Amino acid sequence: MKTAEYTSFDAVGLAELVAAGEVTPAELEAAAREAVRRVNPQINAVVETWPTDDKPEPGSSPLAGVPFLVKDIGVSMAGQRMELGSRLAAGNIAGADSFLMQRFRRAGLVTFGRTATPELAYGITTESVLYGATRNPWDLDRSAGGSSGGAGAAVAAGVVPIAHATDAAGSLRIPAACNGLFGLKPTRGRVSMGPGADEVFNGLGVQGSVSRTVRDSAALLDLIRGPEPGDPYSAQQPSRPYAQEVTRPPGSLRIGVLPHAWGGRRTTAPVADALARTVRLLESLGHRGEEVEVGLGSDWEEFVLANARLMTANLTATVDELSAAFDRPVDSSTLEPVTLAGYHYGQQVSGAQLVAALAHRNRVARSLAQHFDTHDILLTPTLPELPLPVGAHTEGAEALDGKGWIDRINALSPFTMAFNVAGTPAMSVPVTADAGTGLPIGMQFAAAHGHEGRLFRLAGQLEEASPWSGRIPGAWAGDDSGQ
């Protein structure tokens, strides 16, 4: 299969070709590997590929035979490296499949490599010392976002139609927005984190994917959802498969619009214009949008402080575990400045402060839940500005302490973390692009706990109404003019 043909299909479409006998999984894998060879030197999204021995049964699942990439954190594949984007874990080889990896295998996905992440997924751009900077396929001078930036860039450039991603503060939705993709952060407890962890960042972290089409993400979530023994959280299972929700009418939705973020960060003009166009599109589809004020149950400074304590305390425990496992020091030879600063900050977080931060998490969840009594959906920009140049996120970061880095993350991505804290589903949808630069602009839609189906219905409608969805930059689509 030629690259141009391969990139013209989404994951479900490729699996249908396999089921019909028109192409083999091996031929799809060869096309994906050729795509890596062609584009990865420019975007630096895939950090390793490996031989595969899985032989999926054609037609055994909606994604059987589809080439797939996993993020370098959050999922382990027996016998393969998972280095967490960090020199501290360099050379780490997983001893067993995680629950999620087992489900990827049962889905018939052909996992042939891993994608870049910032060190320990502790950032919203993907520019680690270990692997270097991952670049945005729409503009190589700009960030692909993070922490699932490798996944985002690889999917946007046509390497694979869908890839594994994680999200603890926006790490799935941010790359989706930067790279013109669809990305849905599921409800807390929808997908197991086990068996190596019961929760990540005290429940802020979840598993998911980024994809070029809505139906691909829905199909994958159907295949990986559901609890495993010992999971601390579980979400009520949907009444019908998410893949069916994508084509169902969403009805007339009450949509609360937040044009500007918590904490006072103003949305830039290109994004504000895109939000206004999105609201007009929604209204033309029969929905009702109105500006709302949404409280978090605390002021912004308290919100940032509580999350700084949660995230750095968890970071410190992870670093100590890795240091002991690999007998490596915790210093600048193994950790980047922002990670090391977070580690030292987390060492000072007391047990009482951690418990208080968890109580704050509860207040945010209760406060946000009230708004879904009056609105079916909350709409915000995913990011307040266009994708930033490579290096802009971390400029001067060596002078920040642990809380200062969390302050910066929240300032650069002020719309996303609240929905991690609350545990509610939220998605970034590529509704439109900036007229001046052509760069994608993602819109974030959030729903009440357990209501992924509502989001998939709306996303399916928006995908059909928007000419943007599913696009690949022409230079990467496999045509003769490509790079």
Side-chain angles (χ1 to χ4, degrees):
M1 175 177 273
K2 298 293 186 181
T3 305
E5 184 182 9
Y6 169 70
T7 58
S8 71
F9 288 91
D10 67 357
V12 172
L14 291 174
E16 289 173 346
L17 294 178
V18 171
E22 297 181 32
V23 67
T24 66
E27 289 171 325
L28 292 184
E29 182 183 343
R33 290 181 182 276
E34 174 61 17
V36 173
R37 186 194 68 78
R38 290 179 64 253
V39 307
N40 205 54
Q42 287 77 41
I43 61 175
N44 191 34
V46 181
V47 297
E48 183 185 14
T49 61
W50 48 65
T52 61
D53 54 12
D54 291 333
K55 294 179 173 57
E57 180 67 27
S60 58
S61 95
L63 299 178
V66 172
F68 193 66
L69 296 167
V70 291
K71 186 176 176 180
D72 189 35
I73 195 169
V75 60
S76 60
M77 186 177 186
Q80 302 298 345
R81 285 192 291 180
M82 181 181 67
E83 297 174 307
L84 320 177
S86 177
R87 292 166 293 169
L88 187 61
N92 174 52
I93 297 176
D97 284 355
S98 61
F99 288 147
L100 181 57
M101 191 67 233
Q102 293 172 13
R103 295 196 179 201
F104 287 154
R105 289 188 193 273
R106 289 200 295 269
L109 293 163
V110 180
T111 304
F112 71 100
R114 58 193 170 108
T115 59
T117 181
E119 184 169 65
L120 302 179
Y122 195 61
I124 59 171
T125 185
T126 304
E127 303 174 34
S128 71
V129 169
L130 185 63
Y131 300 133
T134 297
R135 296 178 179 273
N136 192 318
W138 293 96
D139 181 342
L140 294 176
D141 291 328
R142 294 183 186 254
S143 169
S147 64
S148 304
V155 172
V159 173
V160 288
I162 187 170
H164 166 246
T166 67
D167 193 316
S171 289
L172 181 162
R173 289 157 289 158
I174 294 166
C178 290
N179 295 285
L181 304 175
F182 176 77
L184 185 142
K185 178 194 82 67
T187 296
R188 181 180 295 143
R190 180 67 68 202
V191 181
S192 177
M193 306 297 290
D198 59 353
E199 60 182 7
V200 172
F201 289 123
N202 291 111
L204 272 64
V206 297
Q207 305 272 14
S209 65
V210 290
S211 61
R212 291 199 304 274
T213 66
V214 177
R215 70 174 185 170
D216 280 358
S217 285
L220 183 59
L221 189 54
D222 279 330
L223 294 164
I224 64 175
R225 61 179 166 84
E228 294 281 358
D231 285 352
Y233 308 109
S234 64
Q236 183 177 356
Q237 292 304 299
S239 59
R240 64 180 61 84
Y242 294 130
Q244 294 180 13
E245 298 284 17
V246 174
T247 57
R248 294 183 71 231
S252 178
L253 299 174
R254 301 164 298 169
I255 299 177
V257 182
L258 286 74
H260 296 290
W262 298 286
R265 174 69 194 272
R266 305 299 292 177
T267 302
T268 59
V271 177
D273 176 66
L275 178 63
R277 282 183 276 138
T278 299
V279 171
R280 290 195 294 272
L281 174 61
L282 289 165
E283 291 174 343
S284 75
L285 295 171
H287 306 298
R288 292 170 290 162
E290 62 176 351
E291 285 196 20
V292 293
E293 292 187 7
V294 176
L296 294 178
S298 71
D299 63 29
W300 183 247
E301 183 60 28
E302 183 183 11
F303 177 84
V304 173
L305 177 61
N307 287 313
R309 287 171 171 168
L310 282 178
M311 299 190 82
T312 60
N314 280 272
L315 175 70
T316 298
T318 298
V319 167
D320 282 339
E321 182 180 359
L322 293 172
S323 174
F326 298 109
D327 192 26
R328 290 171 178 158
V330 179
D331 58 26
S332 59
S333 70
T334 58
L335 293 179
E336 297 170 25
V338 296
T339 316
L340 192 59
Y343 171 80
H344 290 309
Y345 189 90
Q347 286 180 311
Q348 305 305 313
V349 176
S350 70
Q353 288 172 332
L354 185 62
V355 170
L358 291 172
H360 177 271
R361 184 190 70 177
N362 177 61
R363 291 198 301 276
V364 172
R366 305 297 177 182
S367 180
L368 275 177
Q370 294 177 3
H371 296 283
F372 293 115
D373 290 337
T374 55
H375 293 88
D376 301 305
I377 298 285
L378 294 178
L379 165 63
T380 78
T382 307
L383 293 167
E385 58 193 318
L386 298 175
L388 293 178
V390 170
H393 293 79
T394 55
E395 185 175 355
E398 64 277 359
L400 300 174
D401 67 3
K403 180 178 176 296
W405 179 242
I406 303 300
D407 269 324
R408 177 172 292 190
I409 287 175
N410 278 280
L412 293 172
S413 179
F415 293 106
T416 53
M417 187 178 284
F419 300 108
N420 294 88
V421 176
T424 59
M427 64 182 182
S428 182
V429 183
V431 179
T432 187
D434 174 46
T437 63
L439 290 166
I441 298 176
M443 291 292 131
Q444 178 179 237
F445 299 83
H449 192 279
H451 281 270
E452 286 94 329
R454 179 173 289 166
L455 292 177
F456 276 124
R457 290 195 293 273
L458 177 60
Q461 184 186 53
L462 288 171
E463 183 176 50
E464 187 174 348
S466 169
W468 174 262
S469 300
R471 290 175 55 192
I472 297 176
W476 312 102
D479 55 28
D480 293 338
S481 63
Q483 298 188 35

